[in-house]
Amino acid sequence: MTNLKVLLAGIGVAAAMLSACVSGEQPQLTVSGLNPTKFDTVINEKPVKLYTLKNANGMEVCITNYGGRVVSLVVPDKDGNPTDVVLGFDNIAQYADTLNSPTDYGSSVGRYANRIKGGRFTLNDSTYQLKQNDGPNCLHGGGTTGWMNQVYDAKQIGDSILMLTIVAEDGENGFPGKVTAVTTYKVTADNMLDITWEAETDKPTIINQTNHNYYNLSGNFTEPGYDMVLYVNADNFTPSDKLYIPTGEVKSVERTPMDFRTAHAIGDSIKSQFDQIQNAGGYDHNWCLNTYKDGKGDDTQVCASLYSPKTGIFMEMYTNEPGVQVYSGNFQGVGNEPNIKHKGGVYPQHVSVCLESQKYPDSPNKKDWVQPVLNPGEKYYSRAAYKFSVKK
């Protein structure tokens, strides 16, 4: 993101707020407390806005078409209080400022979520060199120049559906093929955030999209989320090296801190001496979901869940993908993070948990794993859904 883009974002926000002041109107805040005028701007000659989805049961999801990012997600707690459970910023300028506050908060990640070793893969005897934005590796499709920092075309349908479309050109960040991709966010009557990704290409390529919400179901973003209770329906995981690249092994979670088949608090094991946790500074690993069998994922079965004993908020996850990346906010609260103003305060390390549906990391280079290849004439489809309820 260039300084010009950030400047444009700031000018757009200031202009929108000035207009509201001149007209004498007070901007109507969302249930989560966001001011929509702080997201009303133009980036790369495309309009950016904040879109609000809601239902009649107290759920509100605010999304910006900049990166398809979920900015806030409000659900009732056990006492009926509206509680925002995702981390982020309260303005578009900080999301767009990838020089000073680069982040994937809430984004719709593309073209390829997670890491590809060396930023390189071979497809149909052709080798492609991708942008190397995570040491020698490619992470989240190129990071600051990936889809999480592009402006999607937006179409809201009623109160509950938002469709976001992006067209990625052949060669973008080294990926082959012109791809048209649509991310659809839907808020259902039973308090579910249902996300689907669809895409088509004009030449063979790879695609692996996900949502990158950082969840803290307590609603308190100033304390580590050690008491959040995690469940992952997986007998196996894929160990990684010190650069977070899978070794190619598939190992049992049995008798390791990777075993969440019986739900337990994250804090019980996040500081274990287990080498995988030591390497990552917490959890940042791919679990091989039991809900994926015989080449097909069952998105009617719970693949993971998260629970806060403080608020009683309980989140169940569903996906058709073979894997889920559990990330425990290991890089939050370190480096420059304490100097950045976030929505809800200063974020400490391990304040949140991400549950990212996916093909396994580096799968284009692990031919025995489920492949992320998309060919002309085929349609890519991926789904991740997060259902919220309360336990009293």
Side-chain angles (χ1 to χ4, degrees), residues 12 17 80 99 117 133 181 193 199 207 209 226 242 260 296 300:
M17 296 180 70
L99 293 178
K117 184 177 181 178
N133 64 304
L193 175 60
I207 187 165
Q209 290 198 256
Y226 294 141
K242 292 185 178 181
F260 284 91
K296 185 178 181 180
T300 68

Side-chain angles (χ1 to χ4, degrees), residues 8-316:
L8 288 173
I11 291 173
V13 170
M17 296 180 70
L18 178 61
S19 175
C21 291
V22 170
S23 67
E25 298 177 0
Q26 292 296 319
Q28 184 173 355
L29 303 183
T30 67
V31 174
S32 61
L34 296 173
N35 182 345
T37 63
K38 292 185 177 183
F39 291 84
D40 192 359
T41 188
V42 175
I43 298 176
N44 288 341
E45 302 180 350
K46 301 186 75 173
V48 175
K49 291 181 62 178
L50 187 72
Y51 297 84
T52 300
L53 305 182
K54 58 186 177 180
N55 65 15
N57 293 316
M59 185 173 184
E60 178 197 76
V61 181
C62 295
I63 302 164
T64 173
N65 59 316
Y66 177 76
R69 293 169 180 263
V70 176
V71 180
S72 65
L73 195 163
V74 170
V75 290
D77 69 5
K78 61 186 177 183
D79 298 315
N81 300 313
T83 305
D84 187 4
V85 297
V86 297
L87 278 58
F89 299 119
D90 66 1
N91 64 88
I92 193 62
Q94 282 186 279
Y95 282 110
D97 185 3
T98 59
L99 293 178
N100 298 301
S101 55
T103 176
D104 48 19
Y105 286 136
S107 61
S108 182
V109 179
R111 170 177 320 193
Y112 190 93
N114 220 308
R115 293 171 173 85
I116 297 177
K117 184 177 181 178
R120 183 179 300 172
F121 71 96
T122 299
L123 178 62
N124 296 339
D125 298 324
S126 295
T127 298
Y128 297 93
Q129 180 61 59
L130 310 174
K131 179 181 177 182
Q132 295 166 290
N133 64 304
D134 182 56
N137 305 315
C138 181
L139 173 61
H140 292 332
T144 57
T145 53
W147 294 1
M148 70 174 71
N149 290 296
Q150 305 299 321
V151 181
Y152 288 68
D153 295 325
K155 180 181 180 181
Q156 184 164 349
I157 303 172
D159 287 337
S160 61
I161 299 174
L162 179 66
M163 299 180 67
L164 301 175
T165 302
I166 191 169
V167 178
E169 298 298 330
D170 180 25
E172 176 198 58
N173 286 337
F175 290 95
K178 182 177 181 178
V179 170
T180 300
V182 179
T183 302
T184 302
Y185 289 98
K186 182 178 180 180
V187 170
T188 66
D190 58 351
N191 282 8
M192 176 184 285
L193 175 60
D194 198 337
I195 311 170
T196 57
W197 295 271
E198 300 172 276
E200 296 181 307
T201 183
D202 65 353
K203 68 168 60 172
T205 190
I206 59 172
I207 187 165
N208 180 34
Q209 290 198 256
T210 197
N211 169 261
H212 217 304
N213 282 349
Y214 287 68
Y215 291 101
N216 185 316
L217 302 187
S218 76
N220 182 352
F221 303 159
T222 63
E223 296 181 357
Y226 294 141
D227 67 339
M228 284 194 289
V229 177
L230 176 66
Y231 163 76
V232 183
N233 186 1
D235 294 331
N236 300 292
F237 76 106
T238 54
S240 299
D241 63 21
K242 292 185 178 181
L243 293 179
Y244 309 98
I245 296 294
T247 62
E249 302 168 281
V250 174
K251 287 191 173 183
S252 172
V253 300
E254 186 77 27
R255 298 180 182 178
T256 78
M258 317 304 281
D259 192 349
F260 284 91
R261 292 174 297 181
T262 298
H264 64 84
I266 294 169
D268 291 346
S269 52
I270 197 170
K271 295 185 179 181
S272 164
Q273 294 303 305
F274 188 60
D275 63 339
Q276 289 294 302
I277 292 179
Q278 288 295 304
N279 288 346
Y283 290 104
D284 192 1
H285 299 84
N286 171 70
W287 272 257
C288 309
L289 295 173
N290 293 337
T291 51
Y292 192 91
K293 296 179 181 179
D294 302 321
K296 185 178 181 180
D298 185 352
D299 59 4
T300 68
Q301 300 295 315
V302 174
C303 69
S305 68
L306 197 63
Y307 167 68
S308 169
K310 288 189 175 76
T311 60
I313 295 173
F314 181 52
M315 182 182 79
E316 297 169 292

